[in-house]
Amino acid sequence: MKLSIFKKIVFVLFSTGLISSCTEQYVFQNQNFNEALVVEATLTNEMKYQEVKLSRTISINDSLGSTEVGATVSIIDNNGTEFNFDEGESKYVSQNEFKAEPNKEYQLKIITASGKIYLSNKEKLTTESTIDLETSVIDKEGEKGVQINVKSSDPTNTSKFYRYEYEETYKIKTIFEIVKPNTSICYSTYYSKEIIQTNTNDRSTDQVNYPIRFIGRSDYKLTNRYTILVTQYVQNRAAYEYYSTLKKMSETGNLLSLNQPGFAIGNIKSVTNPPEKVVGFFDVASVSKKRIFFNHTDLFPTEQPANYFMNCKAILVSNTTNSFGYNILKTHVILGTDYKGTYVVEKECADCTTFASNIKPSFWID
């Protein structure tokens, strides 16, 4: 299951400070408390079922917290149109597909099962800006590999603030094959785990050429076939600064432990109890997505790719019915037998379904 970035930054160590934005000050405090409502909500310009995630951290040692159940969730625009959400599994989903539209204001409203009311600031959709992806072969810190850059241009010069996420999928072909069908070809997907941002606020033109991903040429991800989907969110200044401060709370690109005594206050307030702290930010952002595919030979036509992501070597087991044979079959699979005994290999070398999916993704192009 993909763990959201907000789940990783609910609690972080950060001394009291202020961030100024063009609309409001967002405070990051460090204090003791019994619980905090955590809101994950990004309304986009995509026509789809929009989602809101609510959870509540019960104590400082509760790293993931519990899903907030029984809440009434809605988004209201400045014309009075109310988009209602139904409670689903671990999230609230809009009853109908809708999208954020330009020149309208949107406000998130939450009423918990206990009757507490929470409202966000009114937010407007940001400028739409399409993206493209470009690959190039470079040397980075002594390693040769492929650099993937996000490129975009806004002729209105009003986008300015950008946040990115990506998901990458690669094809796996096992070194060995076993009798069990559909175990030699799989697909593995990874998601970006850090807050990725850039801005053009100090430039005369709103043009982005941002290096979002570097992969070394010997990385197995490139061996068979690789694809990356990049999502760009155009943020307003307040949302950008909120995420930017969360990013600064991280260590070398990895978010700090959730078990630290701090939390972040965004643009969502408690109407019922104004001093109550609420974690999260209601973001209304225009979205652009781009996917590309490539093979190792496309970028490194004269160089051999990695054979596999681990060393694979079959071993001979004379007896699989004794304690040694029984234990080794917990981590190995049988390749075959002959008069000498049974040949086994680590599961990852012959059965990719032990760590990946053998179902070809719907977006996959060979």
Side-chain angles (χ1 to χ4, degrees):
M1 180 181 69
K2 179 184 176 183
L3 189 63
S4 68
I5 290 174
F6 261 99
K7 284 289 187 181
K8 299 176 183 178
I9 49 84
V10 171
F11 294 99
V12 289
L13 182 61
F14 191 72
S15 57
T16 302
L18 293 176
I19 283 190
S20 297
S21 76
C22 57
T23 57
E24 181 131 13
Q25 288 183 321
Y26 296 94
V27 186
F28 292 81
Q29 298 189 357
N30 191 342
Q31 67 180 52
N32 295 322
F33 61 96
N34 293 323
E35 64 177 24
L37 180 66
V38 182
V39 182
E40 305 175 61
T42 298
L43 173 62
T44 75
N45 60 335
E46 301 168 286
M47 180 60 72
K48 67 176 186 178
Y49 292 99
Q50 306 288 337
E51 297 180 359
V52 173
K53 294 182 180 180
L54 304 178
S55 57
R56 191 172 292 274
T57 300
I58 305 303
S59 71
I60 207 65
N61 293 318
D62 182 8
S63 60
L64 294 181
S66 58
T67 301
E68 182 77 5
V69 299
T72 301
V73 178
S74 62
I75 292 177
I76 307 165
D77 68 18
N78 57 323
N79 294 328
T81 304
E82 188 166 0
F83 303 93
N84 295 311
F85 287 64
D86 290 330
E87 185 175 353
E89 185 178 354
S90 73
K91 60 187 174 184
Y92 292 79
V93 181
S94 61
Q95 294 177 351
N96 300 295
E97 292 182 323
F98 75 102
K99 64 178 181 177
E101 298 179 355
N103 304 315
K104 285 188 177 182
E105 292 183 331
Y106 296 89
Q107 186 175 40
L108 175 65
K109 182 179 181 179
I110 301 165
I111 305 176
T112 65
S114 63
K116 291 184 178 180
I117 301 173
Y118 301 85
L119 288 175
S120 73
N121 292 350
K122 295 179 180 180
E123 303 289 349
K124 288 185 176 181
L125 180 67
T126 51
T127 305
E128 293 187 31
S129 179
T130 58
I131 64 171
D132 200 3
L133 299 179
E134 183 179 84
T135 61
S136 59
V137 176
I138 67 168
D139 285 297
K140 183 176 182 180
E141 299 177 356
E143 182 180 16
K144 188 176 182 181
V146 55
Q147 178 67 61
I148 303 168
N149 281 25
V150 180
K151 302 188 74 173
S152 70
S153 179
D154 175 17
T156 68
N157 204 27
T158 57
S159 297
K160 297 293 186 182
F161 303 100
Y162 304 90
R163 180 172 67 86
Y164 298 99
E165 295 176 350
Y166 66 81
E167 61 179 73
E168 54 183 359
T169 303
Y170 64 96
K171 190 174 186 178
I172 300 163
K173 294 182 180 180
T174 59
I175 300 297
F176 296 92
E177 292 189 19
I178 56 177
V179 176
K180 184 180 176 181
N182 303 318
T183 56
S184 61
I185 296 180
C186 291
Y187 304 85
S188 188
T189 297
Y190 290 88
Y191 300 90
S192 53
K193 298 179 180 179
E194 63 278 341
I195 295 172
I196 306 171
Q197 290 180 296
T198 190
N199 73 81
T200 60
N201 198 41
D202 58 350
R203 302 174 195 167
S204 58
T205 59
D206 198 352
Q207 294 182 331
V208 174
N209 186 9
Y210 183 79
I212 193 168
R213 186 76 170 98
F214 174 82
I215 309 171
R217 64 180 176 87
S218 59
D219 193 316
Y220 181 72
K221 289 185 177 71
L222 303 181
T223 295
N224 299 302
R225 188 155 175 79
Y226 172 90
T227 181
I228 186 170
L229 173 67
V230 176
T231 302
Q232 173 183 271
Y233 299 89
V234 178
Q235 299 185 295
N236 61 32
R237 181 189 290 269
Y240 180 87
E241 290 182 344
Y242 180 85
Y243 277 85
S244 180
T245 297
L246 295 184
K247 183 177 181 178
K248 291 175 183 176
M249 295 179 184
S250 65
E251 291 181 333
T252 62
N254 294 318
L255 295 170
L256 292 174
S257 168
L258 299 172
N259 297 323
Q260 302 294 336
F263 61 93
I265 305 168
N267 63 348
I268 304 167
K269 306 291 191 299
S270 171
V271 176
T272 306
N273 179 24
E276 180 184 348
K277 308 307 179 185
V278 183
V279 181
F281 199 100
F282 175 53
D283 197 4
V284 181
S286 66
V287 169
S288 178
K289 298 182 179 182
K290 181 71 173 182
R291 179 184 293 280
I292 59 171
F293 290 81
F294 55 84
N295 298 329
H296 189 276
T297 52
D298 296 331
L299 301 165
F300 311 100
T302 63
E303 301 178 40
Q304 288 294 316
N307 191 41
Y308 207 53
F309 66 89
M310 62 183 291
N311 293 323
C312 294
K313 186 177 180 181
I315 60 175
L316 179 63
V317 179
S318 59
N319 187 351
T320 58
T321 61
N322 59 20
S323 59
F324 174 76
Y326 174 78
N327 287 327
I328 203 168
L329 289 181
K330 293 179 180 179
T331 57
H332 291 62
V333 292
I334 296 174
L335 296 175
T337 60
D338 63 15
Y339 69 95
K340 294 180 181 179
T342 302
Y343 294 89
V344 300
V345 72
E346 289 177 282
K347 290 182 178 180
E348 294 86 349
C349 298
D351 184 357
C352 56
T353 63
T354 59
F355 62 91
S357 172
N358 61 0
I359 300 174
K360 181 187 291 189
S362 59
F363 57 78
W364 190 264
I365 300 174
D366 284 314

